[in-house]
């Protein structure tokens, strides 16, 4: 069984809407989130820890909102900023900006303890992350790091005054083509979102691995 490891029900709902309700089970586990300006090492490190915890194939999903004029803030700190100032005040901070362009990004990290290595022709070898790139501790680098496969997705949009009651997190203040993500169903959002794009890449690889 494939486990989507997250404390966030919204992420799990979207993953199941995309991959199928029976294709993935939710596993509520708060893995260690290393500090980094990039989502990739956070997701990769988390996937290794989650796999060690669960003992079956796992996906970890690290995501964030990147506001262009703020050099990508809150980015990897999106959860902290949502919990502290909240999305209404992210809108307030963005309102005076001449350019309110932003993007959502999502990185999925898959780890099965190394089974996918057995694939005769692994796709995207370069996506495999080494311990050095993941910020693993010296101890972990000494032992062989577990292989992790990464899939990323991004979507451009604009920060707007909150609208809509669907989705989760920053969805009410993120507008794409005139509609906020909170005004979309999970299926509509998946069809163009950062997570939907990453899930599409994952699903394509997973079927043929
Ligand atoms: P897990 O780490 O347990 O999966 P989390 O909510 O803490 O759950 P992250 O660490 O990846 O997830 O933080 C992502 C932040 O960005 C968090 O505040 C989310 O609400 C927000 N976020 C992620 N994806 C989003 C999406 O599709 N729409 C709106 N907000 C999103
Ligand atoms: Na988190």
């Amino acid at each position: 069984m494939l486990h989507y490891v997250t404390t966030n029900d919204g992420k799990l709902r979207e993953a199941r809407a995309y991959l199928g309700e029976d294709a993935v089970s939710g596993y509520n586990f708060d893995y260690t989130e290393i500090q980094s300006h990039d989502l990739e090492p956070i997701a990769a490190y988390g996937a290794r820890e989650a796999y060690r915890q669960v003992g079956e194939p796992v996906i970890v999903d690290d995501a964030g909102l990147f506001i262009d004029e703020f050099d990508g803030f809150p980015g990897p700190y999106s959860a902290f900023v949502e919990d502290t100032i909240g999305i209404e005040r992210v809108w307030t901070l963005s309102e005076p900006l001449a350019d309110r362009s932003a993007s959502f990004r999502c990185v999925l990290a898959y780890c099965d303890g190394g089974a996918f290595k057995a694939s005769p022709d692994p796709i995207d070898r370069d996506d495999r992350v080494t311990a050095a790139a993941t910020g693993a501790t010296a101890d972990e680098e000494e032992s062989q790091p577990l292989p992790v496969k990464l899939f990323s997705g991004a979507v451009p949009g604009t920060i707007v005054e909150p609208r809509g009651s669907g989705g989760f997190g920053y969805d009410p203040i993120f507008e794409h083509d005139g509609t906020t993500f909170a005004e979309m169903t999970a299926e509509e959002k998946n069809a163009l979102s950062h997570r939907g794009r990453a899930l599409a890449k994952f699903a394509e690889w997973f079927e043929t691995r």
Side-chain angles (χ1 to χ4, degrees):
M1 188 60 177
L2 177 61
H3 301 275
Y4 213 89
V5 180
T6 182
T7 62
N8 186 318
D9 293 340
K11 288 182 180 179
L12 181 62
R13 199 164 53 239
E14 291 173 13
R16 285 186 147 159
Y18 193 95
L19 299 170
E21 298 295 325
D22 300 330
V24 58
S25 98
Y27 195 101
N28 189 315
F29 171 55
D30 208 6
Y31 53 83
T32 309
E33 286 193 23
I34 61 165
Q35 197 161 352
S36 171
H37 284 307
D38 301 311
L39 302 177
E40 282 83 357
I42 300 172
Y45 188 95
R48 292 193 176 97
E49 185 180 318
Y51 174 75
R52 288 195 186 93
Q53 168 78 16
V54 180
E56 291 191 53
V58 295
I59 294 179
V60 157
D61 172 331
D62 201 52
L65 175 69
F66 295 73
I67 300 174
D68 294 1
E69 281 283 313
F70 293 155
D71 288 340
F73 172 90
Y77 313 103
S78 293
F80 179 72
V81 170
E82 185 187 344
D83 291 345
T84 51
I85 67 173
I87 72 159
E88 290 270 356
R89 283 169 77 189
V90 173
W91 157 245
T92 307
L93 291 170
S94 306
E95 192 176 6
L97 300 176
D99 176 7
R100 296 190 203 118
S101 301
S103 57
F104 266 132
R105 292 188 209 157
C106 175
V107 173
L108 303 181
Y110 171 83
C111 184
D112 60 12
F116 74 79
K117 241 172 138 181
S119 164
D121 182 23
I123 307 162
D124 284 351
R125 274 179 185 280
D126 294 348
D127 277 1
R128 214 171 287 163
V129 177
T130 63
T134 62
T137 63
D139 277 359
E140 279 167 324
E141 277 190 59
E142 270 168 30
S143 64
Q144 191 69 4
L146 293 172
V148 167
K149 183 88 184 155
L150 300 178
F151 307 88
S152 61
V155 61
T158 307
I159 304 300
V160 296
E161 195 169 6
R163 283 195 336 259
S165 55
F168 67 95
Y170 294 90
D171 283 344
I173 64 166
F174 188 84
E175 186 184 79
H176 181 87
D177 277 349
T179 308
T180 71
F181 274 7
E183 294 173 317
M184 300 180 186
T185 65
E187 286 74 15
E188 287 166 345
K189 182 181 162 187
N190 269 341
L192 43 86
S193 77
H194 51 313
R195 181 163 298 98
R197 288 172 189 192
L199 284 166
K201 291 182 190 172
F202 166 76
E204 189 186 5
W205 172 79
F206 195 64
E207 279 166 19
T208 59
R209 80 193 189 286

